């Protein structure tokens, strides 16, 4: 439920939204996503959070990051950390939860409605804190994937759950075929 006169902000956990859309078999058209929420209320800010591999010559997410930056998204990035796990596999870690939570709490006094694009249960205390400040919180994720991408406790805490698959016709586009050398969102 959205009201035309309410001030809203989008908080997009990039890797989580990418994984949810991929599990549902579509890509997000970020121009359409922004337009959809501008239509639903007064969009104050649209944040996009992602970690970037700094030492790679070409990062497959760099074109998206640049496009979002030039097209009205507030980009919040930090270098991803690479490590080798106990099995000798190369892993990448880039958690943006704290940055998202801090931005949400800072902006809360100027918002009526926060829209969180993530299914990460770690955000339940953030949702609860925003609600105590009088901010309504909608969470966008999916229960239609196997396993569901949204934590039950986050879904229960939110004022409104928006099924990502229900937005497919509004903000989705068919997945593009990966080019040689492409990988996925971290």
């Amino acid at each position: 439920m959205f009201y035309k006169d309410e001030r809203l902000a989008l908080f997009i956990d990039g890797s989580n939204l990418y994984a949810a859309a991929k599990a549902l078999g579509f890509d997000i058209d970020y121009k359409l996503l922004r337009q959809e929420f501008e239509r639903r209320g007064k969009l104050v800010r649209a944040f996009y959070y992602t970690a970037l591999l700094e030492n790679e010559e070409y990062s497959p997410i760099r074109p998206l990051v640049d496009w979002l930056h030039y097209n009205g998204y507030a980009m919040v990035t930090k270098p991803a950390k690479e490590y080798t796990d106990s099995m000798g596999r190369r892993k990448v870690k880039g958690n943006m939860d704290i940055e998202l939570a801090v931005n949400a709490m800072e902006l809360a006094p100027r918002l009526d409605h926060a829209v969180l694009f993530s299914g990460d249960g770690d955000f339940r205390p953030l949702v609860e804190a925003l609600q105590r400040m009088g901010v309504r919180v909608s969470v966008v994720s999916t229960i239609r994937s196997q396993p569901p991408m949204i934590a039950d406790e986050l879904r229960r805490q939110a004022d409104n759950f928006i099924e990502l698959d229900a937005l497919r016709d509004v903000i989705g586009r068919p997945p593009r075929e990966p080019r040689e050398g492409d990988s996925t969102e971290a």
Side-chain angles (χ1 to χ4, degrees), residues 81-85 89-93:
K81 305 240 187 307
E82 283 188 79
Y83 66 97
T84 305
D85 71 8
R89 294 175 298 220
R90 187 179 142 224
K91 296 281 190 175
V92 177
K93 183 179 178 189

Side-chain angles (χ1 to χ4, degrees), residues 1 6 15-16 19 33 37 41 44 51 53 56 66 71 88 91-92 100 105 108 110-111 127 137 155 175 182:
M1 181 77 125
E6 68 183 356
S15 62
N16 195 286
L33 185 149
F37 286 92
V44 175
L53 281 172
E56 300 282 319
D66 291 343
N71 286 277
K91 296 281 190 175
V92 177
L100 190 154
M105 292 301 290
R110 294 168 202 76
L111 294 179
V127 171
V137 182
R155 185 172 174 213
D182 274 7

Side-chain angles (χ1 to χ4, degrees), residues 5-9 11 42-45 102-114 130 133-135:
D5 63 339
E6 68 183 356
R7 300 164 300 170
L8 14 128
F11 298 92
K42 296 176 182 171
L43 186 60
V44 175
R45 189 88 63 246
V102 168
N103 288 151
M105 292 301 290
E106 286 176 343
L107 204 54
R110 294 168 202 76
L111 294 179
D112 301 306
H113 196 155
L130 291 169
M133 297 173 78
V135 177

Side-chain angles (χ1 to χ4, degrees), residues 28-97:
I28 304 292
D29 183 322
Y30 288 96
K31 183 177 184 181
L32 293 176
L33 185 149
R34 188 176 160 83
Q35 288 171 348
E36 174 61 18
F37 286 92
E38 285 171 340
R39 188 185 63 71
R40 292 184 183 207
K42 296 176 182 171
L43 186 60
V44 175
R45 189 88 63 246
F47 290 98
Y48 186 96
Y49 301 84
T50 190
L52 296 172
L53 281 172
E54 296 285 309
N55 58 352
E56 300 282 319
E57 272 186 44
Y58 170 77
S59 169
I61 193 170
R62 177 52 70 184
L64 173 64
V65 168
D66 291 343
W67 187 93
L68 291 169
H69 199 208
Y70 284 113
N71 286 277
Y73 284 82
M75 297 304 301
V76 183
T77 63
K78 73 178 180 186
K81 305 240 187 307
E82 283 188 79
Y83 66 97
T84 305
D85 71 8
S86 60
M87 302 294 284
R89 294 175 298 220
R90 187 179 142 224
K91 296 281 190 175
V92 177
K93 183 179 178 189
N95 190 317
M96 300 294 293
D97 293 4

